[in-house]
Amino acid sequence: MKNITKRFTGTIALDDVSINLYRNEILAVMGENGAGKSTLMKVLSGSYSCKEYEGTIICNGDECKFYATHDSENAGIAMIHQELNLELDLSVAENIMLGRLPKNNLGFIDWKKTKECAKEALDMLKANIDVNVTVRSLSPSMQQLVSIARALVRKPKILILDEPTSVLTEGETKNLMVILRSLKKQGLSCIYISHKLAEVFELCDRIDVMRDGRYINTYFKSEGYNSENIISDMIGRKLDVMYPTIEKSIGEEIMRVENFKVPHPYAYGKNIIEDVSFTLKKGEIVGLGGLVGAGRSELINAIFGVIPKIQGKVFMEDKEINIKNPWDAKSYGIGLLTEDRKKNGFIYSMSIKENMTLTIIDKLVKKLFIDKSEENKKAKSYYDALQVKAPNMDTLITSLSGGNQQKVILAKWLITNLKVLFLDEPTRGIDVGTKSEIYKLIGDLAKKGISIVMISSELPELIEICDRVIVLANGRVMEDIPKKELSEVRILRSASNT
């Protein structure tokens, strides 16, 4: 890709960027949210027509002009997007073979062969997924595996993966790496976008760093990767401390959850949470550990009133409370930052300011109208405090990077009378610099006496940030591990129930 420049209204997303990819190479493209990585890949994959940017794309020595994604696919390029673009109400087999459905001699779709081809692709990924079920019924990690299988069916020469492991378990991630190395040996070239340094260092032959829509530097595995230099190039400054030291005092019990039982979202008649109880003290940060499917998200969503529970009691400051829906939870000072921010974290058609003040809209209404002056005042304080990167508060939230969207969603809860905050994968898909800001913010909230329950699939995150970690497996609490005893081995052993 040579001298690629891409403009959106009022901003330059890509500024004269040039990158090279070699045969049998896995190239990492790294940078903060908003650095231009995904935009560059959308240019390469044909999501943006060649009429929408300046610069040239050259494949195997020939200049290519992609007017749409099928032009890019015909040139041997396949992309797995960070935001999964699956057809939720079609089956797994239909999604994997979409656009390439085999036909029989009579010209009708050969469903037997369709399912066989889909199963072969999933078997490559060692994914035990029924090809007959609808994609909507799958968990996010399973949907990601279906998306990867769909790309592999096309037998691409160049495979682009944008944050492919953000919803995968550790085992699924290692398996994906084995597959990518195998494909590399077969002649596949790969562009790999990820914020996980350890993952990139292990897998990738070379790293190109981007910042603010520009190419910054290249690092080679053969020369040894230097994480400090790479992070410094990504964020434009030296990152002194990744995990901040949180000095705070933990108070009395503020929340108690007793004997929660939650039905399984995908398996009728089965419970994903069987009998879970835990306590939370004022200013305490409690981690929820466990493998994907352990029921961590389902537990906090049931407490918050998003999904139904079969049984269970919640006590706030030693008084039993009745939460029927999220509005009830908010009234008791409980907030939830959801796992999938794009699905249920914000409203697409609204601005930063409008999304921030959603939770207090009832308090802003005066004589049937919203008090715009008060709304601006409330939103501005959090917009400035969280250092949201945007032209102004009236900017649509969809135009923000993932990290800045996460800040807006946090502000939505901080603006309320918050006592307890549930965080479900708060740093998923977020760059190193913004992660550090989120960690500092979590620490500041705890210092102010706000209690936090945090779900994370990144074990170092749980170990460094949390005061203790409750590990779930088989629908129950396996272990409640205090800070001084936390280790990755201990958490994994409990999560695996071994």
Side-chain angles (χ1 to χ4, degrees):
M1 302 182 76
K2 297 176 72 174
N3 310 113
I4 304 294
T5 298
K6 168 68 179 162
R7 294 178 175 87
F8 294 107
T9 307
T11 58
I12 298 177
L14 297 171
D15 189 358
D16 198 37
V17 177
S18 298
I19 66 165
N20 302 311
L21 177 67
Y22 298 94
R23 200 179 301 277
N24 296 48
E25 179 186 43
I26 301 179
L27 167 70
V29 178
M30 300 194 76
E32 286 192 284
N33 287 97
K37 311 179 298 295
S38 295
T39 304
L40 187 67
M41 293 306 109
K42 284 177 180 176
V43 166
L44 180 56
S45 66
S47 294
Y48 294 128
S49 164
C50 55
K51 294 182 177 181
E52 298 178 68
Y53 62 86
E54 300 161 30
T56 54
I57 298 171
I58 298 169
C59 292
N60 293 320
D62 298 322
E63 184 176 339
C64 298
K65 290 190 179 295
F66 302 144
Y67 292 91
T69 52
H70 67 262
D71 294 329
S72 176
E73 285 184 7
N74 290 339
I77 300 169
M79 180 168 178
I80 299 162
H81 294 266
Q82 184 177 3
E83 300 89 15
L84 298 180
N85 54 350
L86 298 169
E87 298 299 328
L88 297 180
D89 293 312
L90 294 183
S91 71
V92 168
E94 288 168 322
N95 267 279
I96 291 173
M97 300 302 294
L98 204 60
R100 292 172 183 260
L101 292 164
K103 294 182 180 178
N104 58 27
N105 295 332
L106 298 173
F108 295 108
I109 294 170
D110 188 334
W111 289 111
K112 185 180 177 184
K113 191 172 182 184
T114 296
K115 291 173 184 179
E116 285 172 357
C117 292
K119 192 170 187 315
E120 281 175 22
L122 289 169
D123 287 344
M124 280 182 67
L125 297 168
K126 296 179 183 174
N128 185 22
I129 300 172
D130 185 349
V131 296
N132 298 299
V133 302
T134 60
V135 166
R136 188 182 294 280
S137 68
L138 301 179
S139 66
S141 66
M142 287 180 173
Q143 289 180 2
Q144 181 69 292
L145 292 171
V146 170
S147 191
I148 294 168
R150 182 162 78 176
L152 294 180
V153 155
R154 284 147 176 75
K155 295 183 170 52
K157 297 170 188 172
I158 296 171
L159 181 62
I160 306 165
L161 300 105
D162 191 354
E163 297 287 351
T165 65
S166 63
V167 293
L168 299 186
T169 64
E170 198 166 322
E172 289 167 341
T173 297
K174 286 180 179 176
N175 185 46
L176 178 61
M177 288 188 178
V178 170
I179 291 159
L180 291 177
R181 290 191 190 101
S182 171
L183 291 170
K184 174 186 163 185
K185 287 177 183 175
Q186 295 171 37
L188 181 83
S189 301
C190 182
I191 299 177
Y192 195 88
I193 297 175
S194 177
H195 292 120
K196 299 178 181 178
L197 287 173
E199 197 176 279
V200 167
F201 288 1
E202 183 182 343
L203 180 67
C204 300
D205 305 301
R206 191 163 53 96
I207 297 173
D208 277 355
V209 178
M210 292 179 67
R211 184 174 73 242
D212 298 330
R214 295 185 180 92
Y215 162 81
I216 300 297
N217 209 343
T218 296
Y219 294 87
F220 297 88
K221 189 172 188 175
S222 57
E223 297 174 2
Y225 291 136
N226 184 308
S227 58
E228 283 190 18
N229 290 346
I230 291 170
I231 290 170
S232 180
D233 276 345
M234 282 170 60
I235 65 178
R237 64 186 188 279
K238 194 173 172 105
L239 190 65
D240 296 322
V241 182
M242 181 64 175
Y243 298 105
T245 303
I246 303 170
E247 295 178 2
K248 59 186 172 62
S249 58
I250 296 173
E252 298 294 312
E253 179 188 294
I254 190 167
M255 174 183 271
R256 185 166 78 254
V257 172
E258 290 185 356
N259 309 116
F260 253 69
K261 187 179 284 189
V262 182
H264 199 290
Y266 313 118
Y268 180 75
K270 183 181 176 184
N271 295 328
I272 195 164
I273 293 294
E274 285 292 354
D275 183 15
V276 169
S277 302
F278 67 89
T279 61
L280 182 65
K281 294 179 179 177
K282 189 173 182 180
E284 187 179 31
I285 304 173
V286 172
L288 275 185
L291 304 176
V292 169
R296 299 169 300 169
S297 297
E298 287 78 8
L299 174 62
I300 63 169
N301 275 282
I303 295 169
F304 195 70
V306 177
I307 61 174
K309 66 179 188 289
I310 293 172
Q311 68 174 45
K313 295 179 179 180
V314 180
F315 296 82
M316 286 288 288
E317 296 168 308
D318 219 26
K319 292 179 183 176
E320 186 176 354
I321 59 174
N322 185 20
I323 299 174
K324 295 177 183 175
N325 52 55
W327 200 256
D328 289 340
K330 184 183 77 75
S331 70
Y332 290 114
I334 306 170
L336 168 64
L337 191 146
T338 57
E339 177 183 13
D340 189 341
R341 61 176 172 265
K342 288 183 168 59
K343 183 179 177 183
N344 44 27
F346 57 78
I347 295 179
Y348 275 66
S349 58
M350 286 187 171
S351 66
I352 293 169
K353 174 179 67 184
E354 290 164 336
N355 270 284
M356 278 185 175
T357 56
L358 265 178
T359 49
I360 58 164
I361 199 76
D362 55 325
K363 294 180 174 63
L364 295 175
V365 175
K366 291 182 179 177
K367 295 180 181 178
L368 301 178
F369 295 98
I370 293 171
D371 185 336
K372 292 294 182 183
S373 173
E374 186 66 15
E375 183 184 30
N376 280 324
K377 183 181 170 185
K378 292 277 188 185
K380 186 76 165 66
S381 61
Y382 289 96
Y383 179 82
D384 292 339
L386 297 179
Q387 298 178 336
V388 178
K389 292 179 184 174
N392 53 60
M393 292 195 303
D394 293 315
T395 303
L396 276 178
I397 193 168
T398 48
S399 68
L400 302 185
S401 65
N404 283 292
Q405 286 175 349
Q406 201 75 314
K407 288 180 182 180
V408 174
I409 301 165
L410 269 172
K412 177 177 76 174
W413 292 112
L414 299 182
I415 211 167
T416 66
N417 183 28
L418 196 63
K419 294 178 181 177
V420 173
L421 180 60
F422 293 135
L423 299 173
D424 195 350
E425 302 286 1
T427 63
R428 174 172 287 166
I430 288 177
D431 60 81
V432 180
T434 309
K435 270 187 180 182
S436 184
E437 290 178 35
I438 298 283
Y439 296 146
K440 185 178 183 303
L441 179 61
I442 291 170
D444 290 343
L445 293 176
K447 283 179 187 176
K448 292 175 182 175
I450 293 172
S451 306
I452 291 166
V453 177
M454 184 168 102
I455 294 173
S456 177
S457 297
E458 295 190 33
L459 296 184
E461 192 168 87
L462 287 178
I463 291 165
E464 295 295 334
I465 295 296
C466 299
D467 298 304
R468 58 190 171 98
V469 172
I470 297 167
V471 184
L472 299 182
N474 303 325
R476 302 178 188 276
V477 174
M478 291 292 108
E479 203 171 4
D480 190 337
I481 310 172
K483 178 85 170 178
K484 60 184 179 183
E485 296 176 25
L486 284 173
S487 71
E488 291 192 31
V489 172
R490 176 110 175 238
I491 295 172
L492 281 172
R493 189 178 291 141
S494 290
S496 305
N497 198 18
T498 56

